[in-house]
Amino acid sequence: MILDEKQAAITDTIFCVSAADSSRAYIPATLISGRRKGPTFTIAAGIYGMGYPAIASLLQLRREIDPEKLSGCLIIIPIMNLESFYNRTPLANPADHLNLDLAFPGSPAGTITEVTADFITTGIFDATDIFLDIHGGGVNENLVPHACYYDNKELQHQTQLAARLSEISGLAAVVSLPYNQPSGHPARQAFKQAVRLGIPALSITVGKLGSYEKTDIVSAKNAVYRMMQELNMYDNKKVLTASPLKRSYTEQVSVTGPGRGLFYSSFKAGAIVTKDEEIGYITDVFGRNIKIITAPVSGTILKKNTGLAVNEGETLFYIGSGQK
């Protein structure tokens, strides 16, 4: 395991996992071992193959970190889903058509995506003290950059640390999700699986799939630097302390399409809406048969689907509500 390497060093490796059908997946990882003792902070991107701002932010971070100034270890996985990345299929591995972020905890006897999830669960999470997943919104999404964590009442210390790291990230909003994980049901998401294992874990969302904006890259990278400073792991004096958090929510409500058609809305991410307010509508291909879309709760639009074509059940909005 790369964690066995000597201190004050940067070690790059590519793990190879294989399934029973001989299909393979490759997972690039960098271990940065610090001069002083400290926690192991694992940061992953590219679980969705086109999350370019998240991927670029970790590649820049890998170049910038000086292991002589680091306390503890960083495990950086810049592209968790390499096959999806190179095939430009953001939500699925082309080998088995499964979404890695819905495959946890995985299975060593499953398809290649399930084997990959099992490797992350057993090979990476077992060596992890804190876990961060960085990704972007959908290809056709306008969003407010935000951090997200699960409010696990049974593990208060871990939840408090995840909440604190979210709050000091410098992102525009924080969403605290209720942790409901029935026994015997898979966690599905990577960072929810980490929470299930008792690891303080959070996720941040910046930019969107397929985009490559410098501001999104810097925002994600600076969020990581602030977290490392909070963990007493690294101090980058060029990164300013974030302004006090202004928006924090205890719920994220999805608004789905009532039917197939063309979607219209003048609202943008960041807009404040009230319950039952009209926030968009759908028509058929002739512009007729209008179906009105209303806000189910009062709150702030965190994500908005910017596509014109929609199908029944597709998410059109995510609304942050229950503001603290």
Side-chain angles (χ1 to χ4, degrees):
M1 179 64 181
I2 58 173
L3 283 176
D4 296 330
E5 296 292 334
K6 63 183 180 180
Q7 287 190 340
I10 300 177
T11 306
D12 295 322
T13 191
I14 297 180
F15 295 105
C16 176
V17 297
S18 58
D21 63 0
S22 298
S23 58
R24 295 182 178 182
Y26 299 90
I27 306 168
T30 297
L31 171 69
I32 305 180
S33 303
R35 174 63 64 189
R36 296 169 296 278
K37 292 183 178 180
T40 297
F41 187 14
T42 296
I43 313 168
I47 198 165
Y48 298 125
M50 291 173 63
Y52 299 152
I55 292 168
S57 70
L58 292 193
L59 292 175
Q60 287 189 13
L61 192 75
R62 182 234 174 272
R63 293 193 296 269
E64 293 175 3
I65 292 292
D66 181 354
E68 294 288 345
K69 299 178 181 179
L70 177 67
S71 297
C73 297
L74 283 179
I75 299 176
I76 297 175
I77 305 175
I79 310 175
M80 191 182 287
N81 198 341
L82 205 58
E83 291 303 308
S84 178
F85 173 77
Y86 280 120
N87 284 277
R88 301 185 185 91
T89 53
L91 301 181
N93 186 321
D96 59 8
H97 308 290
L98 293 183
N99 184 339
L100 180 57
D101 203 32
L102 297 178
F104 285 80
S107 168
T111 68
I112 191 60
T113 295
E114 293 167 327
V115 171
T116 301
D118 175 74
F119 174 79
I120 298 295
T121 299
T122 60
I124 300 297
F125 286 164
D126 280 358
T128 296
D129 295 314
I130 305 103
F131 177 67
L132 170 64
D133 175 32
I134 309 178
H135 56 87
V139 174
N140 294 318
E141 275 187 353
N142 169 228
L143 62 82
V144 173
H146 61 278
C148 179
Y149 68 94
Y150 281 102
D151 185 7
N152 188 341
K153 303 295 185 184
E154 296 180 358
L155 298 172
Q156 285 294 321
H157 174 74
Q158 289 89 330
T159 295
Q160 289 169 5
L161 179 55
R164 178 57 185 160
L165 295 178
S166 299
E167 291 164 0
I168 57 91
S169 66
L171 301 180
V174 170
V175 180
S176 170
L177 298 175
Y179 181 76
N180 301 315
Q181 188 58 57
S183 178
H185 288 248
R188 303 186 77 194
Q189 286 181 306
F191 99 96
K192 192 173 185 180
Q193 176 65 29
V195 173
R196 190 172 200 175
L197 295 173
I199 300 169
L202 65 155
S203 174
I204 64 175
T205 304
V206 295
K208 61 182 180 180
L209 301 181
S211 74
Y212 193 72
E213 300 296 331
K214 182 178 179 180
T215 53
D216 296 327
I217 297 169
V218 172
S219 179
K221 186 177 65 172
N222 286 351
V224 174
Y225 274 126
R226 293 185 182 105
M227 293 178 196
M228 286 196 293
Q229 185 175 36
E230 181 70 17
L231 295 167
N232 296 315
M233 294 181 68
Y234 201 84
D235 186 11
N236 185 337
K237 298 188 183 302
K238 295 181 180 179
V239 178
L240 300 177
T241 302
S243 301
L245 182 66
K246 295 181 180 179
R247 290 187 285 185
S248 182
Y249 307 95
T250 58
E251 189 177 14
Q252 183 172 262
V253 178
S254 64
V255 182
T256 58
R260 190 179 193 184
L262 282 68
F263 170 56
Y264 300 91
S265 174
S266 60
F267 285 78
K268 295 182 179 180
I272 296 174
V273 298
T274 57
K275 184 178 180 181
D276 298 326
E277 179 180 2
E278 180 179 334
I279 55 177
Y281 63 93
I282 289 177
T283 74
D284 63 18
V285 294
F286 299 105
R288 303 176 306 192
N289 302 321
I290 294 175
K291 296 179 180 179
I292 302 299
I293 301 162
T294 59
V297 294
S298 296
T300 302
I301 295 175
L302 298 178
K303 295 182 184 180
K304 176 204 169 183
N305 187 328
T306 59
L308 181 61
V310 297
N311 292 292
E312 183 175 0
E314 288 183 347
T315 300
L316 304 178
F317 299 94
Y318 281 106
I319 299 176
S321 67
Q323 189 163 357
K324 292 182 179 181

